[in-house]
Amino acid sequence: MAPRSPAATQLQRHRRADADSDGEGVAQGTASSSRADIKKWAAEVVRLALFSEYKRQPLRREMIIKQVFPNAGKLFVPVFAEAQEILRKTFGMELHELRVRHKLGAAAMATQAVTQRKGKGRARDDDDDEESDEEEDGEDGAVATQRARKAAGSKAYILRSTLPAPLVAAMARAHPLPNLAHVAPDVVTADSGALVPWEKADAATGGHVGLLGIRAVILAVVLCSGRVIQDDALHAYLRRFNLEADTVLPYTSSDSHEPPLTLDKYLDALARQNYLEKIKIPGAHGESASVEWRWGSREAEFSEKAAAAFIEQLMMADEADDAEEDHARRAQNQDDTRAARRKRLRTNIEKAATGGAAGGLAGAL
């Protein structure tokens, strides 16, 4: 082969340089187009997150991909990061992934299997060994599956505030408007002037501030019972507040058009909204199924720490009222006693939440 002339070699170099520059231009154009799409999709994710949170429903990853960018699922990570940036800077909120929900334990699954076999009448003695081996394998498989689910995450998200708690408290403080002082009292109380009007709440089920208080009590009871409580025991505690299963809770938001809920329906609503987990345990040997309530996965909104602070506030407030009546008597000793009681209360709540306090809720309080 004849050697190439310097002119031909130079021409080929120019062609390669032009091709490289064209490739860079295409890559830059693609990157620019993708960036614009990511911003657009992120805005749609924000809108979808706000809508889901208004309904108190978790936003799932597959729903985001299906409704926002069905043909570009691989871009979920950059789109999600851009949506988080918008939520934090504009709304003071962020998407938080829920933990994996509790699944029926291996023991309960075995009980259910025994009940089903007994009901069908097909259990055989010569198959007992094989069935026990299968149950052991099922138990190991359930544990492995649970670990895998914890590692993978639930891929379901809720919105939580990123604003400091003192700022939220200041925003919720009532500031009546001066120009409404001459108006009728009922009109003035309709708008407290707060930036976050809790008396208005929202139109979601259980959005009224009165129901939020009942929710806090229910979650506190569940926490101090080791994060799990039988349905009968929960209702026994709530009856002390004159709350029966069919008691109508007369609290609805001014924006809501739904009728008031009964206590049982409100508990079911809390389960749908992930504040609680309702677990149905099948009965053995012909017994009826039972229900237990577990601490829900929406703990980013009302955490165990917040529940403990709520309990402490209630318990120590009663002591503060008693201390004011005889304030002149040994003030320093009373302060020391209150500090000791506060510390003991925190310790008891922590033990009850982990199942270490004898008597559960009674031991904590």
Side-chain angles (χ1 to χ4, degrees):
M1 179 182 293
R4 295 181 179 179
S5 63
T9 303
Q10 187 175 5
L11 178 61
Q12 189 172 3
R13 288 176 180 175
H14 282 301
R15 288 177 178 175
R16 289 178 180 175
D18 293 338
D20 292 341
S21 63
D22 291 340
E24 292 178 359
V26 172
Q28 292 177 357
T30 304
S32 176
S33 176
S34 298
R35 184 61 183 171
D37 291 337
I38 287 175
K39 284 184 173 291
K40 180 183 68 176
W41 292 333
E44 290 295 323
V45 172
V46 170
R47 182 191 66 82
L48 191 60
L50 294 173
F51 176 80
S52 298
E53 184 60 26
Y54 186 76
K55 295 295 184 181
R56 292 291 191 275
Q57 296 297 325
L59 179 61
R60 304 191 178 279
R61 175 170 177 165
E62 58 266 23
M63 182 187 301
I64 295 175
I65 296 176
K66 181 179 179 180
Q67 296 192 14
V68 179
F69 43 94
N71 299 323
K74 294 182 179 180
L75 294 178
F76 176 82
V77 173
V79 172
F80 187 83
E82 184 70 22
Q84 289 280 60
E85 191 72 13
I86 297 174
L87 286 168
R88 293 185 180 117
K89 289 185 176 180
T90 306
F91 298 96
M93 308 178 80
E94 66 180 4
L95 284 167
H96 173 78
E97 186 175 10
L98 297 175
R99 63 171 172 80
V100 178
R101 288 178 57 87
H102 174 269
K103 292 298 180 182
L104 196 63
M109 292 175 65
T111 303
Q112 185 177 19
V114 171
T115 304
Q116 290 176 351
R117 290 198 301 269
K118 184 177 180 181
K120 293 179 180 179
R122 297 178 181 177
R124 296 179 179 178
D125 295 337
D126 56 349
D127 294 335
D128 288 345
D129 295 336
E130 295 181 2
E131 290 174 355
S132 62
D133 293 339
E134 291 177 0
E135 289 177 3
E136 291 179 358
D137 294 340
E139 181 176 352
D140 295 338
V143 173
T145 303
Q146 187 71 8
R147 290 177 180 175
R149 286 174 60 85
K150 287 183 178 179
S154 64
K155 297 182 181 179
Y157 307 90
I158 62 169
L159 283 179
R160 68 175 180 183
S161 174
T162 59
L163 300 178
L167 177 59
V168 176
M171 295 171 65
R173 195 172 297 121
H175 295 284
L177 302 178
N179 59 348
L180 293 179
H182 63 282
V183 186
D186 57 340
V187 179
V188 176
T189 55
D191 187 357
S192 64
L195 295 177
V196 181
W198 290 107
E199 73 279 358
K200 183 179 177 63
D202 55 48
T205 302
H208 191 275
V209 65
L211 292 179
L212 299 185
I214 296 176
R215 184 189 72 192
V217 171
I218 293 173
L219 293 179
V221 170
V222 175
L223 175 67
C224 289
S225 301
R227 299 186 180 89
V228 57
I229 186 172
Q230 294 295 321
D231 183 69
D232 294 340
L234 176 60
H235 280 87
Y237 283 122
L238 294 179
R239 275 195 292 270
R240 300 182 182 183
F241 298 91
N242 293 326
L243 293 175
E244 300 287 345
D246 55 352
T247 299
V248 177
L249 307 178
Y251 305 109
T252 56
S253 171
S254 58
D255 288 345
S256 176
H257 301 288
E258 299 179 0
L261 300 174
T262 62
L263 178 61
D264 272 353
K265 289 185 178 180
Y266 183 54
L267 287 171
D268 290 336
L270 293 180
R272 290 194 303 270
Q273 296 169 2
N274 296 281
Y275 291 104
L276 292 173
E277 293 182 11
K278 185 177 182 180
I279 309 297
K280 294 184 178 180
I281 307 298
H285 308 295
E287 297 178 357
S288 58
S290 60
V291 174
E292 67 179 19
W293 299 93
R294 292 182 173 268
W295 184 264
S297 58
R298 205 181 180 95
E299 52 202 358
E301 181 177 337
F302 190 79
S303 64
E304 297 173 356
K305 182 178 179 181
F310 172 75
I311 298 171
E312 180 182 332
Q313 213 170 17
L314 290 180
M315 300 299 295
M316 301 304 293
D318 293 339
E319 295 184 2
D321 294 339
D322 297 337
E324 289 177 0
E325 296 178 359
D326 54 351
H327 177 71
R329 185 182 60 182
R330 295 181 299 177
Q332 183 62 38
N333 292 337
Q334 287 179 358
D335 291 340
D336 295 340
T337 303
R338 279 175 53 79
R341 289 179 179 178
R342 186 185 298 273
K343 182 178 180 180
R344 185 171 65 252
L345 178 61
R346 291 178 180 177
T347 302
N348 290 341
I349 292 174
E350 182 179 355
K351 288 182 179 180
T354 56
L361 183 62
L365 305 182

